[in-house]
Amino acid sequence: MAVNGDTETVVRRLRDGMTGGVLSFPLTSFHDDGSLDPDGFRTHVAARIATAPGAVFPACGTGEFFSLDEDEYRTVVTIAVEEAAGRVPVVAGVGYGWAQAARFARIAEEAGADALLVLPHYLVAAPQDGLVAQLEQLAARTRLPLIAYQRGQVAFTASSLKRIAAIPGVIGLKDGHSDLDRLQRLTLAAPEGFLFFNGASTAEIQARAYATVGVPAYSSAVHAFAPEIANAFFTALTDGDDKAVERLLRDFYVPLVELRDRVPGYAVSLVKAAARLRGQPVGPVRAPLTDPSAADLAELTTLLATGLDLVGAAL
């Protein structure tokens, strides 16, 4: 892992942050007509940062990166950087093919982001050589450190992991496949200091399993609407309080996942709906996502109240 001084600082800050808190992926706020709501996003991201996450990742999957044009993206990343004010690292999402990703990377760089999360490329499957080349092309066009995200059609082999870790500026990998055999091979192939993150959907469900292969850090969608629950789970996990971990899993996280799995896109839609229930000004999702049905929203309301009660918080 070749790093310069600035990259070394980002790696250190991320490593320090992810040992002390969850990784927060804020929602992007929209008005009811679908237009961007900058003021709402500022309120939302400021509230997330105030709860001391390990880092904040604006305009990623939970933040509906795929729905943003370049001007909106600039606004979102700029606000996140302003509200973070150097307190936590800001890692902005980029994606599509490398040429378009490089355009977003330039915007994130100008906005003051600390690093980039490279979301899976659009549509097509690709061989390992192509997956490596995608990161090489992007790394050559930005000074910001890159974290690769393997999910969907992107899955690195151990030999490819060694190759991407040798690309100057590539500092880590976020995993969304939950294939622990493959992930263990990747962690063993990685150079010392390479960062790994658990990026499974509702990552808390598999947090203990990921930790057994050397990947304790994880992203938390729940932090976007209930940082009290997310932080309580992180504390219980870190402290080895298995009873508290299992109580939260059994009574909150597992039912949340079961509800999430009913409809495609609920991984974002339910999170946004729950944030609205907490009074966060995040607005609706943009098409092609859809907001939850009335019946699912009622079930979510009950589940959210249960989760908050478990950690001594109120709706």
Side-chain angles (χ1 to χ4, degrees):
M1 182 176 61
V3 297
N4 58 32
D6 289 344
T7 300
E8 208 170 70
T9 299
V10 172
V11 170
R12 177 183 53 76
R13 293 184 68 211
L14 282 170
R15 184 179 294 108
D16 290 346
M18 70 193 201
T19 60
V22 300
L23 306 177
S24 180
F25 285 67
L27 301 155
T28 298
S29 299
F30 299 120
H31 294 292
D32 287 342
D33 65 0
S35 60
L36 184 69
D37 178 6
D39 292 338
F41 178 71
R42 187 178 294 278
T43 297
H44 173 69
V45 74
R48 302 314 95 193
I49 292 168
T51 62
V56 62
F57 289 67
C60 293
T62 306
E64 297 178 79
F65 165 79
F66 51 86
S67 293
L68 301 176
D69 67 27
E70 292 180 13
D71 289 338
E72 292 169 332
Y73 177 85
R74 183 185 299 276
T75 298
V76 166
V77 177
T78 298
I79 290 173
V81 170
E82 290 173 350
E83 292 302 319
R87 289 175 290 169
V88 296
V90 175
V91 184
V94 298
Y96 309 114
W98 62 259
Q100 187 63 38
R103 291 174 63 93
F104 283 103
R106 285 193 293 274
I107 295 170
E109 188 172 329
E110 292 165 359
D114 296 293
L116 304 171
L117 178 66
V118 185
L119 304 171
H121 63 270
Y122 171 69
L123 190 61
V124 296
Q128 292 293 308
D129 285 348
L131 298 180
V132 174
Q134 164 90 333
L135 290 170
E136 289 174 335
Q137 293 287 349
L138 180 55
R141 289 166 173 79
T142 181
R143 66 171 183 82
L144 294 181
L146 306 179
I147 299 168
Y149 188 6
Q150 64 168 17
R151 191 186 189 97
Q153 68 269 37
V154 177
F156 294 102
T157 63
S159 60
S160 293
L161 189 283
K162 291 179 181 178
R163 293 171 63 190
I164 67 169
I167 300 170
V170 176
I171 63 171
L173 177 75
K174 181 183 179 187
D175 174 72
H177 284 295
S178 304
D179 181 342
L180 296 184
D181 179 278
R182 175 189 289 268
L183 185 58
Q184 182 70 89
R185 296 168 190 265
L186 298 183
T187 60
L188 293 173
E192 184 177 358
F194 197 74
L195 302 176
F196 284 91
F197 310 88
N198 167 4
S201 296
T202 316
E204 287 90 344
I205 290 285
Q206 300 184 63
R208 289 190 293 188
Y210 268 81
T212 65
V213 295
V215 185
Y218 61 90
S219 58
S220 176
V222 170
H223 190 270
F225 64 86
E228 305 97 324
I229 298 173
N231 289 340
F233 183 90
F234 180 86
T235 298
L237 185 68
T238 303
D239 291 348
D241 186 347
D242 288 336
K243 287 186 178 180
V245 167
E246 288 163 11
R247 183 169 60 249
L248 284 165
L249 288 174
R250 181 180 57 250
D251 296 339
F252 175 72
Y253 282 99
V254 169
L256 179 66
V257 168
E258 291 172 350
L259 181 57
R260 179 202 72 198
D261 289 346
R262 287 182 190 169
V263 177
Y266 264 19
V268 176
S269 302
L270 280 179
V271 173
K272 247 189 172 175
R276 291 195 299 273
L277 289 172
R278 301 295 309 283
Q280 286 290 308
V282 296
V285 292
R286 273 184 176 173
L289 301 180
T290 58
D291 288 310
S293 67
D296 289 344
L297 184 60
E299 188 170 336
L300 176 64
T301 303
T302 300
L303 179 57
L304 178 56
T306 297
L308 290 168
D309 185 62
L310 286 171
V311 299
L315 184 63

